[in-house]
Amino acid sequence: MPALTLREVLALDPVRAAEPELLAGGGALDRPVRWVLPLLLGFARSGGTPVSEVYEGANFLDGGELLLTNGFGLVGADEETRRRYVRELAARGAAGLAVEIGRSLPGMPPEVSDEATRLGLPLLALRRAVPFVRITEAANRAIVARGLSGRSVVRPWGDDHTAALLADLADRHALNQPEVEARAALAGFHPAPGARLIGVSVHGTRESGPVDRAVRLLGGAGFLRAAFPGDVLALLALPASPVRPGDPVRAVQDAFRATAEPGLTVAVGHPVAAGGGWLRWSDTLRAARTTLELALTVPAAEPGATDGPLVTSSRALALERELTRGGVDANRERLAGLVQHALGPLLAWEAAHPSDLVRTLEIHLRNGCSPTRTAALLHIGRQSLYQRLERIESLLGLEIDDPDLLGELLAAACAHRVVRGTAAAVPAGLRTVA
């Protein structure tokens, strides 16, 4: 099914009510319209003299947008500024420009029409004032509906538009807030005011059952979820409720630990405000996906339970994520340098003597330098731990509980585990989104 065209948008009732008149670009009426957006135009002045144009939004177009404006920014602008503005819109791939005539702008400036004609950019004069919100709602609803009707449902859980939305958010494709809200609403996702959104990525299943069971245990959580080859991606909305105070990340992790099957790996993103905009929605999904990939390729810093699912979070692997921002391969040389600088003597010792000093150091630092906790996690006695710590300090020539050294040593130990683990891992073709 082809995308909605500009000609079809002009046939919508709210657009027709604005009495549009085509002034230029008649040969491009069949070009696809990806979205209809109101564009705010302003013009800065100093003492009545124009000093700079302020065209908010023109620089953020991705192509295919039909722009609506009241024309205020064209009032008082000089001829070259108006021509340059039309050129910029055409260069950005705009589907067209519709200008309200009569209130702010008494008539279409001839240089705007001339430049639009020269470039083949559809230019519309809206002769009657109609609230732009009515036009954008009708047009964008029609655009989304057309897009959905042209898709075949190939994934086992149907709701292919849900999968497409989650994939677009996780990959941070070019989106905008009205589009995301419209697509989420069509999927039945209506986060309540004050809700906290948390992205989740599950590996090891082609079914969304683990997400559904966790959501039921959470009670009252809205969600978007879709199954992809080998993985499930979800966006959960936890309502703000004084009845259930506490850490939302911990609540989601506990729900998956209680309901997910052994062998699954679950990564939970960080909480974001539902009203924070689509980029925040994208952030938590991307954090969950990145965390999942690290959980599958990098050895865990500490021993975990072996009789249930592996459930981790973006904050649990925050250091690993920061060290590998941009990809492990892109950072491998830098990480190797960090490891050698901070831990060179330990690595040389371990190459010549069977030992576990680097791992001991990392676990000790991660647990606040607590001998009791470290010894328990390593399954050794405290006396054996003290001997290891003395050996580490002797080789490095420093005290490992020095506050000035904690950050560098922990980062280096973590980098060593990341580089060693990813170098030994067999590529598994992981794709958490289609």
Side-chain angles (χ1 to χ4, degrees):
M1 179 75 68
L4 204 70
T5 66
L6 181 56
R7 189 187 306 276
E8 291 172 308
V9 170
L10 295 179
L12 296 172
D13 288 342
V15 182
R16 292 174 60 190
E19 298 180 1
E21 179 185 355
L22 185 65
L23 303 181
L29 289 180
D30 292 320
R31 65 173 52 178
V33 178
R34 191 176 69 87
W35 210 244
V36 178
L37 297 173
L39 182 65
L40 302 180
L41 296 185
F43 200 79
R45 294 175 178 274
S46 177
T49 302
V51 294
S52 65
E53 66 270 19
V54 183
Y55 295 126
E56 298 182 5
N59 293 329
F60 302 97
L61 301 182
D62 298 305
E65 297 90 350
L66 171 62
L67 306 175
L68 310 178
T69 176
N70 59 12
F72 179 77
L74 299 175
V75 178
D78 58 42
E79 177 180 338
E80 177 52 33
T81 297
R82 292 168 174 169
R83 288 184 179 274
R84 183 170 66 250
Y85 172 61
V86 176
R87 290 196 298 270
E88 289 176 355
L89 292 184
R92 298 270 178 183
L97 175 65
V99 183
E100 184 182 272
I101 301 298
R103 291 194 293 180
S104 300
L105 193 67
M108 188 70 71
E111 56 271 18
V112 173
S113 299
D114 179 65
E115 199 69 21
T117 299
R118 185 180 68 83
L119 298 171
L121 177 70
L123 176 66
L124 299 160
L126 304 180
R127 299 296 181 182
R128 183 178 179 185
V130 173
F132 283 169
V133 66
R134 288 177 53 193
I135 296 176
T136 57
E137 284 182 351
N140 292 335
R141 188 181 300 114
I143 290 169
V144 172
R146 171 65 63 84
L148 297 181
S149 66
R151 295 194 182 116
S152 59
V153 179
V154 297
R155 292 180 174 86
W157 297 105
D159 289 342
D160 190 57
H161 56 285
T162 302
L165 175 57
L166 287 170
D168 286 348
L169 286 170
D171 286 336
R172 190 162 287 184
H173 286 172
L175 299 168
N176 56 64
Q177 192 62 29
E179 178 182 0
V180 170
E181 291 177 357
R183 293 171 67 183
L186 284 171
F189 187 59
H190 304 277
R196 305 288 284 176
L197 304 187
I198 297 180
V200 176
S201 191
V202 183
H203 180 73
T205 180
R206 291 178 178 270
E207 301 178 351
S208 59
V211 174
D212 297 341
R213 291 191 294 272
V215 166
R216 284 195 295 269
L217 189 61
L218 288 167
F223 64 95
L224 288 171
R225 59 100 173 92
F228 298 92
D231 302 277
V232 176
L233 195 61
L235 185 63
L236 310 185
L238 275 64
S241 172
V243 178
R244 295 189 58 186
D247 180 3
V249 172
R250 183 69 63 188
V252 172
Q253 286 185 277
D254 290 344
F256 276 98
R257 288 192 179 103
T259 61
E261 300 91 341
L264 296 186
T265 303
V266 181
V268 179
H270 53 270
V272 299
W278 77 268
L279 285 173
R280 297 294 172 264
W281 297 24
S282 174
D283 285 343
T284 186
L285 283 169
R286 291 167 65 85
R289 185 175 64 171
T290 302
T291 301
L292 179 67
E293 292 171 350
L294 287 170
L296 293 171
T297 56
V298 176
E302 298 178 0
T306 58
D307 57 350
L310 170 61
V311 181
T312 187
S313 68
S314 60
R315 63 189 182 192
L317 295 182
L319 185 53
E320 289 86 341
R321 291 173 57 233
E322 287 300 319
L323 289 173
T324 59
R325 190 176 294 275
V328 175
D329 290 339
N331 289 280
R332 194 175 297 277
E333 184 176 348
R334 178 180 64 86
L335 296 180
L338 171 64
V339 172
Q340 188 61 39
H341 171 75
L343 305 177
L346 290 189
L347 299 178
W349 175 269
E350 289 195 337
H353 305 83
S355 59
D356 202 11
L357 298 185
V358 175
R359 181 167 178 261
T360 297
L361 174 62
E362 183 177 6
I363 292 178
H364 190 59
L365 294 175
R366 283 181 175 273
N367 287 275
C369 296
S370 167
T372 300
R373 177 67 176 163
T374 304
L377 288 170
L378 291 171
H379 302 290
I380 61 176
R382 292 184 59 166
Q383 191 59 40
S384 296
L385 174 64
Y386 290 139
Q387 292 174 355
R388 290 189 187 183
L389 295 179
E390 289 176 1
R391 174 72 67 183
I392 292 171
E393 290 186 334
S394 174
L395 290 170
L396 295 180
L398 47 80
E399 296 180 0
I400 59 178
D401 59 355
D402 183 342
D404 290 343
L405 297 172
L406 296 180
E408 180 183 26
L409 291 177
L410 180 56
C414 180
H416 175 62
R417 178 167 46 83
V418 168
V419 172
R420 182 188 59 190
T422 54
V426 178
L430 170 67
R431 289 192 68 196
T432 57
V433 293

mmCIF file of all heavy atoms in Angstrom, residues 358-384:
data_model
loop_
_atom_site.group_PDB
_atom_site.id
_atom_site.type_symbol
_atom_site.label_atom_id
_atom_site.label_comp_id
_atom_site.label_asym_id
_atom_site.label_seq_id
_atom_site.Cartn_x
_atom_site.Cartn_y
_atom_site.Cartn_z
ATOM 1 N N VAL A 358 43.213 -10.309 39.669
ATOM 2 C CA VAL A 358 42.443 -9.225 39.056
ATOM 3 C C VAL A 358 40.967 -9.367 39.401
ATOM 4 O O VAL A 358 40.304 -8.391 39.745
ATOM 5 C CB VAL A 358 42.656 -9.200 37.532
ATOM 6 C CG1 VAL A 358 41.756 -8.143 36.893
ATOM 7 C CG2 VAL A 358 44.113 -8.910 37.197
ATOM 8 N N ARG A 359 40.457 -10.573 39.314
ATOM 9 C CA ARG A 359 39.049 -10.798 39.660
ATOM 10 C C ARG A 359 38.809 -10.514 41.142
ATOM 11 O O ARG A 359 37.788 -9.924 41.515
ATOM 12 C CB ARG A 359 38.665 -12.234 39.331
ATOM 13 C CG ARG A 359 37.214 -12.587 39.632
ATOM 14 C CD ARG A 359 36.860 -13.910 38.980
ATOM 15 N NE ARG A 359 35.504 -14.315 39.289
ATOM 16 C CZ ARG A 359 35.186 -15.191 40.235
ATOM 17 N NH1 ARG A 359 36.145 -15.753 40.969
ATOM 18 N NH2 ARG A 359 33.930 -15.523 40.448
ATOM 19 N N THR A 360 39.736 -10.936 41.988
ATOM 20 C CA THR A 360 39.616 -10.651 43.421
ATOM 21 C C THR A 360 39.565 -9.153 43.664
ATOM 22 O O THR A 360 38.745 -8.659 44.448
ATOM 23 C CB THR A 360 40.795 -11.266 44.185
ATOM 24 O OG1 THR A 360 40.768 -12.688 44.040
ATOM 25 C CG2 THR A 360 40.736 -10.902 45.669
ATOM 26 N N LEU A 361 40.432 -8.419 42.975
ATOM 27 C CA LEU A 361 40.466 -6.970 43.137
ATOM 28 C C LEU A 361 39.151 -6.336 42.716
ATOM 29 O O LEU A 361 38.602 -5.485 43.433
ATOM 30 C CB LEU A 361 41.617 -6.390 42.306
ATOM 31 C CG LEU A 361 41.716 -4.860 42.257
ATOM 32 C CD1 LEU A 361 41.956 -4.292 43.650
ATOM 33 C CD2 LEU A 361 42.815 -4.428 41.289
ATOM 34 N N GLU A 362 38.595 -6.742 41.576
ATOM 35 C CA GLU A 362 37.352 -6.135 41.106
ATOM 36 C C GLU A 362 36.196 -6.428 42.057
ATOM 37 O O GLU A 362 35.422 -5.515 42.408
ATOM 38 C CB GLU A 362 36.997 -6.630 39.705
ATOM 39 C CG GLU A 362 35.736 -5.961 39.169
ATOM 40 C CD GLU A 362 35.378 -6.353 37.756
ATOM 41 O OE1 GLU A 362 36.044 -7.240 37.185
ATOM 42 O OE2 GLU A 362 34.410 -5.764 37.212
ATOM 43 N N ILE A 363 36.056 -7.672 42.490
ATOM 44 C CA ILE A 363 34.963 -8.004 43.398
ATOM 45 C C ILE A 363 35.116 -7.248 44.711
ATOM 46 O O ILE A 363 34.126 -6.755 45.279
ATOM 47 C CB ILE A 363 34.917 -9.525 43.638
ATOM 48 C CG1 ILE A 363 34.509 -10.240 42.351
ATOM 49 C CG2 ILE A 363 33.954 -9.875 44.774
ATOM 50 C CD1 ILE A 363 34.489 -11.747 42.464
ATOM 51 N N HIS A 364 36.335 -7.127 45.203
ATOM 52 C CA HIS A 364 36.575 -6.400 46.448
ATOM 53 C C HIS A 364 36.179 -4.929 46.310
ATOM 54 O O HIS A 364 35.513 -4.366 47.185
ATOM 55 C CB HIS A 364 38.060 -6.523 46.821
ATOM 56 C CG HIS A 364 38.385 -6.035 48.193
ATOM 57 N ND1 HIS A 364 37.816 -6.546 49.336
ATOM 58 C CD2 HIS A 364 39.249 -5.053 48.617
ATOM 59 C CE1 HIS A 364 38.292 -5.925 50.397
ATOM 60 N NE2 HIS A 364 39.168 -5.016 49.984
ATOM 61 N N LEU A 365 36.537 -4.301 45.189
ATOM 62 C CA LEU A 365 36.200 -2.893 44.977
ATOM 63 C C LEU A 365 34.700 -2.708 44.773
ATOM 64 O O LEU A 365 34.110 -1.740 45.259
ATOM 65 C CB LEU A 365 36.963 -2.357 43.766
ATOM 66 C CG LEU A 365 38.488 -2.285 43.904
ATOM 67 C CD1 LEU A 365 39.120 -1.856 42.592
ATOM 68 C CD2 LEU A 365 38.896 -1.339 45.027
ATOM 69 N N ARG A 366 34.070 -3.613 44.042
ATOM 70 C CA ARG A 366 32.633 -3.504 43.789
ATOM 71 C C ARG A 366 31.808 -3.653 45.067
ATOM 72 O O ARG A 366 30.661 -3.204 45.110
ATOM 73 C CB ARG A 366 32.189 -4.555 42.773
ATOM 74 C CG ARG A 366 32.538 -4.225 41.335
ATOM 75 C CD ARG A 366 32.054 -5.304 40.383
ATOM 76 N NE ARG A 366 32.272 -4.945 38.993
ATOM 77 C CZ ARG A 366 31.422 -4.244 38.249
ATOM 78 N NH1 ARG A 366 30.286 -3.846 38.770
ATOM 79 N NH2 ARG A 366 31.702 -3.962 36.988
ATOM 80 N N ASN A 367 32.352 -4.270 46.067
ATOM 81 C CA ASN A 367 31.624 -4.507 47.310
ATOM 82 C C ASN A 367 32.134 -3.645 48.448
ATOM 83 O O ASN A 367 32.090 -4.033 49.616
ATOM 84 C CB ASN A 367 31.687 -5.984 47.671
ATOM 85 C CG ASN A 367 30.822 -6.837 46.777
ATOM 86 O OD1 ASN A 367 29.629 -6.995 47.017
ATOM 87 N ND2 ASN A 367 31.411 -7.379 45.707
ATOM 88 N N GLY A 368 32.590 -2.442 48.073
ATOM 89 C CA GLY A 368 32.969 -1.463 49.090
ATOM 90 C C GLY A 368 34.149 -1.871 49.927
ATOM 91 O O GLY A 368 34.272 -1.447 51.083
ATOM 92 N N CYS A 369 35.028 -2.716 49.377
ATOM 93 C CA CYS A 369 36.210 -3.201 50.082
ATOM 94 C C CYS A 369 35.845 -3.927 51.382
ATOM 95 O O CYS A 369 36.567 -3.844 52.383
ATOM 96 C CB CYS A 369 37.185 -2.052 50.372
ATOM 97 S SG CYS A 369 37.878 -1.295 48.875
ATOM 98 N N SER A 370 34.717 -4.614 51.350
ATOM 99 C CA SER A 370 34.282 -5.399 52.516
ATOM 100 C C SER A 370 34.902 -6.790 52.458
ATOM 101 O O SER A 370 34.556 -7.583 51.577
ATOM 102 C CB SER A 370 32.761 -5.519 52.533
ATOM 103 O OG SER A 370 32.340 -6.501 53.453
ATOM 104 N N PRO A 371 35.801 -7.149 53.386
ATOM 105 C CA PRO A 371 36.407 -8.489 53.374
ATOM 106 C C PRO A 371 35.369 -9.596 53.526
ATOM 107 O O PRO A 371 35.477 -10.645 52.876
ATOM 108 C CB PRO A 371 37.368 -8.455 54.559
ATOM 109 C CG PRO A 371 37.641 -7.001 54.788
ATOM 110 C CD PRO A 371 36.367 -6.301 54.436
ATOM 111 N N THR A 372 34.363 -9.376 54.358
ATOM 112 C CA THR A 372 33.357 -10.414 54.587
ATOM 113 C C THR A 372 32.588 -10.714 53.304
ATOM 114 O O THR A 372 32.427 -11.881 52.907
ATOM 115 C CB THR A 372 32.379 -9.966 55.681
ATOM 116 O OG1 THR A 372 33.112 -9.728 56.889
ATOM 117 C CG2 THR A 372 31.322 -11.026 55.929
ATOM 118 N N ARG A 373 32.123 -9.676 52.641
ATOM 119 C CA ARG A 373 31.353 -9.857 51.415
ATOM 120 C C ARG A 373 32.214 -10.440 50.308
ATOM 121 O O ARG A 373 31.792 -11.359 49.589
ATOM 122 C CB ARG A 373 30.761 -8.505 50.983
ATOM 123 C CG ARG A 373 29.994 -8.519 49.682
ATOM 124 C CD ARG A 373 28.734 -9.330 49.773
ATOM 125 N NE ARG A 373 27.964 -9.262 48.546
ATOM 126 C CZ ARG A 373 26.997 -10.112 48.219
ATOM 127 N NH1 ARG A 373 26.675 -11.091 49.055
ATOM 128 N NH2 ARG A 373 26.347 -9.988 47.081
ATOM 129 N N THR A 374 33.442 -9.945 50.156
ATOM 130 C CA THR A 374 34.329 -10.430 49.102
ATOM 131 C C THR A 374 34.673 -11.894 49.294
ATOM 132 O O THR A 374 34.630 -12.692 48.353
ATOM 133 C CB THR A 374 35.613 -9.588 49.064
ATOM 134 O OG1 THR A 374 35.280 -8.210 48.901
ATOM 135 C CG2 THR A 374 36.508 -10.021 47.921
ATOM 136 N N ALA A 375 35.023 -12.268 50.500
ATOM 137 C CA ALA A 375 35.378 -13.660 50.769
ATOM 138 C C ALA A 375 34.199 -14.594 50.496
ATOM 139 O O ALA A 375 34.367 -15.688 49.942
ATOM 140 C CB ALA A 375 35.854 -13.809 52.215
ATOM 141 N N ALA A 376 32.992 -14.157 50.859
ATOM 142 C CA ALA A 376 31.817 -14.994 50.638
ATOM 143 C C ALA A 376 31.563 -15.193 49.151
ATOM 144 O O ALA A 376 31.230 -16.299 48.702
ATOM 145 C CB ALA A 376 30.605 -14.364 51.317
ATOM 146 N N LEU A 377 31.697 -14.136 48.356
ATOM 147 C CA LEU A 377 31.455 -14.249 46.916
ATOM 148 C C LEU A 377 32.518 -15.102 46.224
ATOM 149 O O LEU A 377 32.230 -15.783 45.239
ATOM 150 C CB LEU A 377 31.408 -12.852 46.287
ATOM 151 C CG LEU A 377 30.168 -12.014 46.619
ATOM 152 C CD1 LEU A 377 30.353 -10.580 46.149
ATOM 153 C CD2 LEU A 377 28.925 -12.626 45.969
ATOM 154 N N LEU A 378 33.757 -15.070 46.720
ATOM 155 C CA LEU A 378 34.833 -15.855 46.121
ATOM 156 C C LEU A 378 34.891 -17.271 46.687
ATOM 157 O O LEU A 378 35.685 -18.096 46.208
ATOM 158 C CB LEU A 378 36.182 -15.155 46.362
ATOM 159 C CG LEU A 378 36.402 -13.841 45.601
ATOM 160 C CD1 LEU A 378 37.663 -13.156 46.084
ATOM 161 C CD2 LEU A 378 36.467 -14.088 44.102
ATOM 162 N N HIS A 379 34.092 -17.519 47.715
ATOM 163 C CA HIS A 379 34.061 -18.839 48.364
ATOM 164 C C HIS A 379 35.433 -19.217 48.919
ATOM 165 O O HIS A 379 35.910 -20.342 48.756
ATOM 166 C CB HIS A 379 33.570 -19.921 47.386
ATOM 167 C CG HIS A 379 32.209 -19.640 46.815
ATOM 168 N ND1 HIS A 379 31.064 -19.716 47.574
ATOM 169 C CD2 HIS A 379 31.825 -19.272 45.571
ATOM 170 C CE1 HIS A 379 30.017 -19.409 46.817
ATOM 171 N NE2 HIS A 379 30.453 -19.128 45.603
ATOM 172 N N ILE A 380 36.065 -18.257 49.565
ATOM 173 C CA ILE A 380 37.333 -18.509 50.236
ATOM 174 C C ILE A 380 37.255 -17.946 51.644
ATOM 175 O O ILE A 380 36.364 -17.154 51.976
ATOM 176 C CB ILE A 380 38.522 -17.858 49.484
ATOM 177 C CG1 ILE A 380 38.341 -16.333 49.412
ATOM 178 C CG2 ILE A 380 38.663 -18.457 48.079
ATOM 179 C CD1 ILE A 380 39.524 -15.613 48.772
ATOM 180 N N GLY A 381 38.203 -18.358 52.513
ATOM 181 C CA GLY A 381 38.252 -17.843 53.863
ATOM 182 C C GLY A 381 38.814 -16.434 53.898
ATOM 183 O O GLY A 381 39.499 -15.998 52.971
ATOM 184 N N ARG A 382 38.513 -15.732 54.965
ATOM 185 C CA ARG A 382 38.995 -14.352 55.063
ATOM 186 C C ARG A 382 40.512 -14.298 55.089
ATOM 187 O O ARG A 382 41.116 -13.361 54.573
ATOM 188 C CB ARG A 382 38.399 -13.678 56.293
ATOM 189 C CG ARG A 382 36.894 -13.468 56.171
ATOM 190 C CD ARG A 382 36.314 -12.711 57.347
ATOM 191 N NE ARG A 382 36.914 -11.401 57.529
ATOM 192 C CZ ARG A 382 36.402 -10.457 58.313
ATOM 193 N NH1 ARG A 382 35.278 -10.686 58.991
ATOM 194 N NH2 ARG A 382 36.995 -9.298 58.445
ATOM 195 N N GLN A 383 41.164 -15.288 55.717
ATOM 196 C CA GLN A 383 42.620 -15.276 55.776
ATOM 197 C C GLN A 383 43.224 -15.402 54.378
ATOM 198 O O GLN A 383 44.184 -14.712 54.032
ATOM 199 C CB GLN A 383 43.123 -16.411 56.665
ATOM 200 C CG GLN A 383 44.608 -16.318 56.986
ATOM 201 C CD GLN A 383 44.969 -15.022 57.701
ATOM 202 O OE1 GLN A 383 44.235 -14.545 58.568
ATOM 203 N NE2 GLN A 383 46.098 -14.431 57.325
ATOM 204 N N SER A 384 42.600 -16.276 53.554
ATOM 205 C CA SER A 384 43.075 -16.407 52.174
ATOM 206 C C SER A 384 42.869 -15.109 51.403
ATOM 207 O O SER A 384 43.714 -14.715 50.586
ATOM 208 C CB SER A 384 42.340 -17.553 51.471
ATOM 209 O OG SER A 384 42.625 -18.787 52.087
#
